[in-house]
Amino acid sequence: MNLKRNGALLGVVAVGAMTLAACGSDNNAGSSTVDTSASEASCEGKERLSGAGSSAQKNAMDQFTSSYIAACQQKGVSVNVAYNPSGSGDGRTQFIADQVDFAGSDSAINGEQADLARERCAGNDPWNLPLVFGPVALAYNLDGVDDLVLSGETIAKIFNGGITRWNDPAIAELNPDAALPDEEISPISRSDSSGTTDNFQKYLMAASNGAWTAGAGSDFMGGVGEGAKGSAGVAQAVSSDPGSITYVEISFADQQNLPAAQIDTGSGPVALTLETASKAIEDAAFAGSGTGDMTLDLTSIYGTNEAGAYPLVLATYEIVCSGGYDAETAAAVKSFLTSAANEGQQTLGEQGYVPLPESFREKLDESIAAIG
């Protein structure tokens, strides 16, 4: 089930890109074309920016960098961005230590780290700007069942051992026309620490009506099933194990030709498509005002019952100083992020990401413009 955009893009710049890799475990080459002719990037400021952190967004960052370089070349300006996919925690640490200009992170910077970042930013608040979104599929291997429907509660019970067989009455109620086998369910989780696991468990906390009590975190807390390393690992494990199910980025499910379960959020089953994942983002709320800092209220995404919105979407941030940069760095950060939030989004849907909806991008553009 490939995510595809409607309509053709008029491309003038070929951009090397990769499919979505969860926390840097796996990369898969691809290519796409981006039109940079209308770029609003100023291409001002210092020539070379540095960033580090989330490897889930590394492949999107490759595209952002390529399209930014191309946009500035059209204006006769040479620029570059060096991004090290060293992991979210390391990215935040390097940002606090003033070793990079921005950090990529699967989680918003907060608490003590935000206080330390404020010192680095000369007393100004650090801002969390959500720039890259990737949908997560419930990929499964169940012969004869192509349109499986699950709910937040049944997903939680599958992954904590509360539901152990595919013909359980709770699953049968959601799938009245399916021939569900009397077969044991084999849940497969990430054996390595993963931002995908953290977000999956946050989703279960928000959407399971209290069925998930194990909490969240980068390590799987459900206590049942088998583990496999990396996104490619869990997808391959499901492909070779009839009766199994996992949570994984859609690109890896596609590679193994695995179907993805629809999720019933209370307003009917919702299939994972570019449009349904985008709708969940479009309706997202913010922990604060959403002006400047754009830390997401993840419950508004994960707990949505909006008709046609697919809720299981991984959000990753760029962490920047709202002020306190020197003038050259501030100009370059704003220029790069402007490019990334606009032309940089054009072909992300072809690579397993969700391009930003228009209304969301407008809010992001306002925050980027306000960086001092």
Side-chain angles (χ1 to χ4, degrees):
M1 181 189 62
N2 293 307
L3 294 178
K4 294 194 180 294
R5 270 188 137 171
N6 293 326
L9 291 170
L10 298 176
V12 297
V13 178
V15 177
M18 317 284 266
T19 52
L20 176 63
C23 297
S25 48
D26 314 278
N27 289 329
N28 301 278
S31 64
S32 52
T33 304
V34 174
D35 180 0
T36 63
S37 61
S39 176
E40 296 184 5
S42 69
C43 301
E44 296 175 346
K46 68 181 185 180
E47 178 178 333
R48 183 181 177 89
L49 280 175
S50 61
S54 167
S55 43
Q57 63 175 241
K58 186 265 180 185
N59 302 320
M61 195 62 63
D62 288 343
Q63 173 162 310
F64 297 158
T65 299
S66 296
S67 58
Y68 180 52
I69 290 171
C72 292
Q73 282 178 340
Q74 292 176 345
K75 300 179 181 183
V77 180
S78 176
V79 296
N80 203 355
V81 181
Y83 183 80
N84 179 13
S86 56
S88 297
D90 181 70
R92 293 192 299 270
T93 298
Q94 289 196 51
F95 178 74
I96 289 168
D98 200 7
Q99 295 172 344
V100 291
D101 299 316
F102 66 92
S105 179
D106 299 340
S107 303
I109 195 167
N110 54 33
E112 182 180 355
Q113 282 196 324
D115 292 337
L116 293 171
R118 194 171 294 110
E119 293 180 20
R120 174 261 158 96
C121 297
N124 298 280
D125 289 337
W127 283 352
N128 300 284
L129 304 181
L131 184 63
V132 181
F133 290 84
V136 177
L138 275 304
Y140 65 95
N141 182 344
L142 197 58
D143 189 39
V145 181
D146 296 324
D147 297 305
L148 180 69
V149 178
L150 297 172
S151 64
E153 184 172 350
T154 54
I155 296 166
K157 289 181 178 179
I158 286 171
F159 281 89
N160 69 11
I163 291 176
T164 60
R165 305 196 73 79
W166 280 112
N167 64 345
D168 185 280
I171 299 178
E173 184 178 356
L174 292 166
N175 298 271
D177 299 323
L180 297 170
D182 183 11
E183 182 179 338
E184 186 175 354
I185 301 173
S186 176
I188 296 175
S189 60
R190 289 282 293 270
S191 60
D192 53 326
S193 293
S194 163
T196 308
T197 296
D198 187 23
N199 279 268
F200 175 62
Q201 293 180 132
K202 287 176 179 175
Y203 160 73
L204 295 178
M205 291 174 65
S208 68
N209 295 319
W212 186 263
T213 59
S218 298
D219 296 320
F220 179 66
M221 311 290 284
V224 299
E226 302 293 331
K229 186 175 181 179
S231 298
V234 294
Q236 185 173 7
V238 169
S239 179
S240 61
D241 183 8
S244 62
I245 185 171
T246 193
Y247 53 92
V248 69
E249 292 76 8
I250 186 61
S251 59
F252 293 96
D254 285 343
Q255 288 166 20
Q256 296 293 334
N257 294 314
L258 295 171
Q262 300 177 60
I263 297 180
D264 191 336
T265 63
S267 300
V270 181
L272 172 49
T273 68
L274 183 59
E275 289 74 23
T276 59
S278 181
K279 185 171 181 56
I281 299 168
E282 191 173 48
D283 296 333
F286 301 96
S289 66
T291 301
D293 180 72
M294 294 179 65
T295 300
L296 293 164
D297 174 5
L298 290 175
T299 302
S300 70
I301 299 176
Y302 294 153
T304 185
N305 58 8
E306 182 76 17
Y310 182 86
L312 189 45
V313 181
L314 171 67
T316 66
Y317 296 92
E318 310 314 318
I319 300 171
V320 300
C321 290
S322 60
Y325 288 122
D326 63 78
E328 288 287 294
T329 301
V333 167
K334 293 167 71 171
S335 179
F336 170 63
L337 292 181
T338 296
S339 177
N342 290 278
E343 63 266 14
Q345 300 286 318
Q346 286 178 11
T347 58
L348 291 186
E350 299 172 11
Q351 304 161 39
Y353 295 102
V354 184
L356 299 175
E358 180 66 25
S359 60
F360 193 97
R361 188 169 68 246
E362 289 174 355
K363 295 175 184 176
L364 181 58
D365 281 336
E366 291 176 4
S367 291
I368 292 169
I371 295 172

